Amino acid sequence: MTTCKIKNSIFSLLLVSIFSISCNGQNSTTRNEQLPKIVRTFKTTSETLHCELLDKDGNLWFSINGEGAYRYDGKLFTNFSIKDGLCNNNVVAIIQDKLGNILFGTNRGICKYDGKTFITIPMTDTLSITSLLEDREGNIWFGVINKGIYRYDGKNVSNFLDNYKHPFYGDKYEKFISDIIQDKKGSIWFSSWNGGGVWKYDGKIFTQFLPPIGYYKTNQDKRATVNTQNNLNFNSDNNSFIQSQDYISDDMIFSMTEDNLGNIWFATRNHGICYYNGKTFISIGSDKGFTSSKASAILQDEKNNFWITTFDSGVWYYDGKIFKNFTENNGLVNNAVLNLIKDNDGNLWFGTKFVGLSRYDGKSFTTFSTYDN
C-alpha cells in the first residue's frame, strides 16, 4: 500500500471524509480574484494538502498527494512534479538542508532540489517516506512505511526500530512515523500515528513513551479485539480511565513541537494536547477551555503564544491561560484543519479539508483556494 493510500485511510477514520487541500502554480483565490489560487494541477482525487516549509528565501512550500510539490513566492504558486524531475508526485514531507537544497520525501524515496535540477538520493528510491528531518550533524532521518526509522549520513543508510514490538499488542507498531523533531539538547523525537506513541533518541538509546495500561484496558486506543480483551482484562467503561502525569495521554501522535522553554508538545488523536517538561506529562483539555480532542498540529509564535489546529473544530489560540477558537464563522475556509505554517511576515497559513488554504494576518482570514467539497 502506498503512503498516499495509507494516509487517506487514516484520515477517513477520523473525519468521515479525508482532509484536503490543493495547491497549484497559477493565479487566483476564492474571495479575491486578484490573489493566487491553489488548485490541483493534475486533477487527481486526492484531498490531502500539507503546509510543509518556510525556506531561507521566504518561500512557502506545500504538497498534495498525487500532485507533487508547490512553492509560493508571495505572488504565484509554482508546481513541481515528475515532469520537472521530481522522483514521485506523492510528496509527504519537505525540508531544507544546511546547504539550501530542498529535500522531498515521496513514495519513491527522497529527492534533492538545488534550485535547478532534481537528484534522487541513492539507496532510498524504493522506500515510501512518511517524515523527514536533517539533524545538527547533517544526517537525514526519515520514517518509512512498514520499515521503521532510517538515518542517511551522506554515504550509508542505517535502520532503527525495524524490529520493535508493542508491549501490549506484540505486533509491530513502528509502521507510520508521522513526525520527527530535534530538541535543543540534541535528542531526536519520533511520533507514531498508528499506536507506537513517541520515541526519544539521545544518540545511544531509544526511550519509548506510551500511555498507562489503563488506557488500553478501557479501549482509549479504539482497537480492542478479543485477544487484547483477554490479555488486558478489558473494561468497556471509558469513563474509568484517569490520565497520569507519568504517562503520555495518547499513543497516536500526529505532530510535535518544542517551545521556547524546552517543553515538547504533542498533538494527539483523541486526547487533545499535552506537553512533556522532562519529568512529567501535562495534559490540556476541556478543563482549561480546550474542548477539541482531535489535535493535528501545534505552533508557537514569536510572542510565545500557541496555535493549535484540529480535525474537528478549526484553529485554537492559547496564551498560556485562555483559549480562543477560530472557525468558519471567523472566515476560516473549513473547520477540519490538518496543519499550519508561519511566513516571514508573521501570517499563519492553514491547510484544511476540501481543498482549502487559509491565511490569517492577525485580523482576518483570506482564502487562497477554491473550496471543493
Side-chain angles (χ1 to χ4, degrees):
M1 183 180 288
T2 65
T3 302
C4 178
K5 291 179 181 177
I6 290 177
K7 278 200 169 184
N8 286 345
S9 63
I10 289 171
F11 300 151
S12 296
L13 295 176
L14 292 170
L15 288 177
V16 181
S17 58
I18 305 170
F19 304 88
S20 130
I21 298 178
S22 178
C23 291
N24 122 310
Q26 304 172 17
N27 298 329
S28 50
T29 200
T30 310
R31 301 177 182 177
N32 187 337
E33 293 301 325
Q34 295 179 350
L35 293 174
K37 184 186 292 183
I38 208 164
V39 298
R40 287 172 289 199
T41 302
F42 292 99
K43 309 300 181 183
T44 66
T45 58
S46 175
E47 294 184 343
T48 304
L49 174 143
H50 294 269
C51 300
E52 299 281 8
L53 170 71
L54 170 66
D55 70 22
K56 296 174 183 177
D57 295 322
N59 301 305
L60 295 176
W61 291 82
F62 306 89
S63 67
I64 308 171
N65 287 330
E67 298 283 347
Y70 297 81
R71 182 184 65 199
Y72 179 62
D73 63 3
K75 297 180 179 179
L76 296 173
F77 291 93
T78 301
N79 178 228
F80 297 90
S81 70
I82 55 175
K83 295 180 179 180
D84 305 289
L86 187 65
C87 52
N88 190 273
N89 281 346
N90 291 319
V91 178
V92 296
I94 306 175
I95 64 172
Q96 186 170 32
D97 67 21
K98 295 178 180 178
L99 299 177
N101 300 304
I102 306 297
L103 303 182
F104 304 87
T106 78
N107 278 11
R108 297 291 297 180
I110 302 172
C111 298
K112 180 172 67 175
Y113 179 60
D114 63 6
K116 296 181 180 180
T117 58
F118 288 89
I119 299 173
T120 300
I121 291 181
M123 297 182 284
T124 71
D125 59 345
T126 61
L127 301 177
S128 186
I129 311 300
T130 61
S131 48
L132 276 173
L133 170 81
E134 182 187 36
D135 67 24
R136 293 171 191 169
E137 287 72 41
N139 300 303
I140 304 299
W141 293 83
F142 49 99
V144 177
I145 287 290
N146 294 327
K147 296 183 179 180
I149 297 164
Y150 284 73
R151 180 182 65 196
Y152 177 63
D153 65 6
K155 295 181 180 180
N156 302 303
V157 175
S158 304
N159 193 197
F160 302 87
L161 296 182
D162 53 314
N163 293 317
Y164 164 76
K165 290 186 178 181
H166 195 283
F168 300 121
Y169 289 93
D171 195 7
K172 292 183 179 180
Y173 276 90
E174 81 297 341
K175 298 174 184 177
F176 196 97
I177 303 300
S178 55
D179 197 13
I180 310 173
I181 65 171
Q182 186 171 28
D183 66 26
K184 294 179 174 66
K185 296 180 179 179
S187 294
I188 300 176
W189 295 75
F190 306 89
S191 66
S192 167
W193 188 236
N194 62 303
V198 171
W199 290 270
K200 176 185 176 183
Y201 180 62
D202 63 4
K204 296 181 180 180
I205 300 173
F206 280 87
T207 301
Q208 187 181 23
F209 299 94
L210 283 171
I213 191 170
Y215 172 91
Y216 297 96
K217 286 184 175 181
T218 56
N219 196 28
Q220 301 293 310
D221 56 324
K222 310 294 185 184
R223 59 177 185 267
T225 65
V226 173
N227 184 49
T228 57
Q229 289 181 33
N230 292 336
N231 291 340
L232 299 176
N233 189 24
F234 181 75
N235 179 357
S236 61
D237 181 11
N238 283 350
N239 294 326
S240 68
F241 173 69
I242 300 175
Q243 174 60 33
S244 168
Q245 289 189 336
D246 295 325
Y247 298 89
I248 197 167
S249 62
D250 204 307
D251 68 357
M252 291 179 67
I253 311 298
F254 197 72
S255 65
M256 304 173 289
T257 193
E258 183 178 22
D259 68 20
N260 64 310
L261 299 177
N263 301 308
I264 308 298
W265 291 71
F266 308 97
T268 80
R269 170 194 53 172
N270 281 322
H271 294 81
I273 58 177
C274 69
Y275 68 88
Y276 181 63
N277 62 17
K279 296 181 180 180
T280 59
F281 289 89
I282 311 300
S283 295
I284 299 177
S286 58
D287 58 327
K288 301 289 186 180
F290 181 63
T291 58
S292 173
S293 62
K294 303 178 184 301
S296 54
I298 306 170
L299 180 148
Q300 187 178 37
D301 64 24
E302 63 279 356
K303 296 181 180 179
N304 298 327
N305 299 311
F306 293 92
W307 296 85
I308 302 134
T309 61
T310 68
F311 295 131
D312 58 356
S313 60
V315 177
W316 294 76
Y317 166 86
Y318 180 53
D319 64 4
K321 296 180 180 180
I322 299 173
F323 279 94
K324 182 178 180 181
N325 189 208
F326 296 90
T327 66
E328 294 173 19
N329 293 332
N330 304 104
L332 183 67
V333 66
N334 187 271
N335 286 340
V337 187
L338 182 62
N339 45 48
L340 77 165
I341 196 170
K342 184 170 70 69
D343 65 26
N344 279 338
D345 295 321
N347 301 309
L348 295 171
W349 295 72
F350 303 97
T352 81
K353 181 181 177 182
F354 294 139
V355 193
L357 182 64
S358 289
R359 184 187 69 187
Y360 181 64
D361 63 5
K363 296 181 179 180
S364 61
F365 288 89
T366 302
T367 302
F368 281 78
S369 59
T370 299
Y371 191 61
D372 182 14
N373 62 352

